[in-house]
Amino acid sequence: IIHCSIQTHTIRQIVRRIFLMMQVVTLLCLSSASAFTFSSNLKTPKTNLYAINRRDVFWKASSAAAAILTTQPKDALADAAAIQDSLDVSNFLRTGVDGGGNMGVSSQAGKSRPQTGVVFRDGSEVLQDKRSGQVSAELLTGTKKDPKAVLVSFVSPWKLETGPVFDVECRDGKTGDGAFVAVTKSVGGKSLDELPLSFFLDRLFDPTGRFSFYGSPTDIKVKPSKVGDASNRKRYLEVSFSSLSQSTNAEIPRKALLAATLPEGSDSVIMLVGSANANRWNSVKDSLIKTADSFNAIPAPKSNLKLRAKDRSNSLIDF
């Protein structure tokens, strides 16, 4: 039985390769005919031009046929996987665009976006006012059985990014300066003041998070946090860390300012994380502070939208 199965498998491979070879031969014939027709419309000697085009097409087709006949299916799959994993991480973190190829296997369309904990309310959109720079989005926290709608807003000097790899994020594509929204797990009944630093850092440096494209950040340092007054119930953290660059395999120092708030009725903290490369920190820090101070998260006003999550097929969040 095993012998018969092997023979059947071999026959199938041979038939498949013969079929592919027939396709190559058909392509060769069509290309040769096209080359001959093209050459007949020129004043240059037909025979030489036709011979050159035919010979060129023949060798290209022969090379393609050889590749088809010698390439194993597993090798092809391995090559595809390598292409899919060829994301230029350092460039992606800076610009939000994968320079490894066009939209497809090796670009944004084929990538899982960073997991920030954000769940959008179905029917809502992320918007930015072009004049004021104010960004607004309606999110869901809690669980499927008991969801809570939260309206998030902040003013940003950077452009709102759109596309499948972004949640709520504004950035400067040239410098990499920017800010994004993240949502934590349940606080477990604790207040904002009672939460340990590790609670925020676990979300910020999650292995699938925004700063972990090419490995977990290192050299993480946190300055003492502060909590705003009664009119500004936010907790601020200033964090420095190093992230690995894929292109140079070097650690790139970066700094971030985190503003966190716990909306009324929500059991998850909403955070706005502004960051920049360490060598740009002094020049951009004031902008990050203004953006953090403008950050607000409140219970969403009542509307006709249902309290259900927007369908995002590549999300890892089970909401």
Side-chain angles (χ1 to χ4, degrees):
I1 295 174
I2 296 175
H3 179 69
C4 292
S5 299
I6 294 174
Q7 282 187 332
T8 302
H9 178 70
T10 303
I11 292 172
R12 287 178 179 174
Q13 284 188 327
I14 293 173
V15 171
R16 186 182 298 111
R17 292 184 181 183
I18 291 175
F19 176 73
L20 291 174
M21 188 63 182
M22 289 173 64
Q23 289 181 315
V24 172
V25 173
T26 302
L27 176 62
L28 173 60
C29 294
L30 292 174
S31 300
S32 298
S34 176
F36 181 75
T37 303
F38 173 72
S39 65
S40 65
N41 294 326
L42 300 176
K43 294 181 180 180
T44 53
K46 300 177 183 177
T47 305
N48 292 338
L49 184 59
Y50 169 65
I52 292 172
N53 287 336
R54 182 176 57 185
R55 186 162 50 249
D56 182 60
V57 172
F58 173 77
W59 283 113
K60 288 182 178 179
S62 299
S63 300
I68 291 173
L69 293 175
T70 57
T71 301
Q72 295 294 332
K74 291 182 179 180
D75 295 336
L77 291 174
D79 291 341
I83 293 174
Q84 188 173 3
D85 291 335
S86 65
L87 173 64
D88 186 343
V89 176
S90 58
N91 182 64
F92 182 82
L93 283 173
R94 184 176 64 81
T95 65
V97 177
D98 176 13
N102 297 324
M103 290 299 289
V105 177
S106 179
S107 65
Q108 293 184 29
K111 293 295 175 184
S112 296
R113 67 179 180 279
Q115 298 301 312
T116 60
V118 167
V119 176
F120 291 117
R121 185 175 185 174
D122 191 25
S124 67
E125 298 293 339
V126 185
L127 303 173
Q128 183 179 36
D129 185 88
K130 292 184 178 180
R131 286 189 243 178
S132 65
Q134 178 163 322
V135 177
S136 60
E138 196 164 342
L139 313 181
L140 291 182
T141 64
T143 63
K144 288 182 180 179
K145 293 182 178 180
D146 186 25
K148 304 293 183 183
V150 177
L151 181 62
V152 174
S153 64
F154 61 94
V155 177
S156 168
W158 309 288
K159 181 178 71 70
L160 176 68
E161 294 288 1
T162 58
V165 297
F166 296 105
D167 290 325
V168 185
E169 181 166 350
C170 296
R171 63 186 4 256
D172 184 325
K174 295 181 179 179
T175 65
D177 306 339
F180 66 91
V181 173
V183 180
T184 70
K185 61 184 180 181
S186 172
V187 297
K190 294 183 179 180
S191 66
L192 193 63
D193 303 351
E194 296 172 329
L195 296 170
L197 292 178
S198 59
F199 179 85
F200 306 97
L201 299 182
D202 286 347
R203 173 72 277 172
L204 189 60
F205 299 121
D206 185 273
T208 62
R210 189 68 182 86
F211 295 126
S212 304
F213 274 106
Y214 200 56
S216 299
T218 58
D219 299 329
I220 300 172
K221 298 177 182 178
V222 184
K223 284 190 176 181
S225 62
K226 64 175 182 177
V227 179
D229 55 28
S231 62
N232 182 25
R233 291 296 299 169
K234 289 197 289 283
R235 185 168 173 178
Y236 295 87
L237 301 176
E238 187 174 320
V239 185
S240 62
F241 58 95
S242 295
S243 59
L244 198 62
S245 167
Q246 183 187 31
S247 57
T248 63
N249 203 32
E251 291 187 341
I252 308 300
R254 195 170 183 87
K255 289 189 175 183
L257 178 63
L258 183 154
T261 185
L262 183 60
E264 182 181 350
S266 173
D267 67 344
S268 295
V269 170
I270 314 294
M271 306 189 301
L272 182 70
V273 184
S275 70
N277 285 340
N279 58 4
R280 287 188 45 78
W281 182 252
N282 291 333
S283 61
V284 77
K285 185 176 180 179
D286 288 343
S287 296
L288 292 172
I289 291 176
K290 289 180 180 179
T291 301
D293 287 341
S294 70
F295 174 58
N296 199 14
I298 60 174
K302 294 183 179 181
S303 69
N304 293 328
L305 297 179
K306 293 184 177 180
L307 282 175
R308 64 185 181 192
K310 178 179 287 188
D311 181 20
R312 304 178 80 189
S313 57
N314 62 340
S315 176
L316 298 180
I317 302 174
D318 181 20
F319 192 93

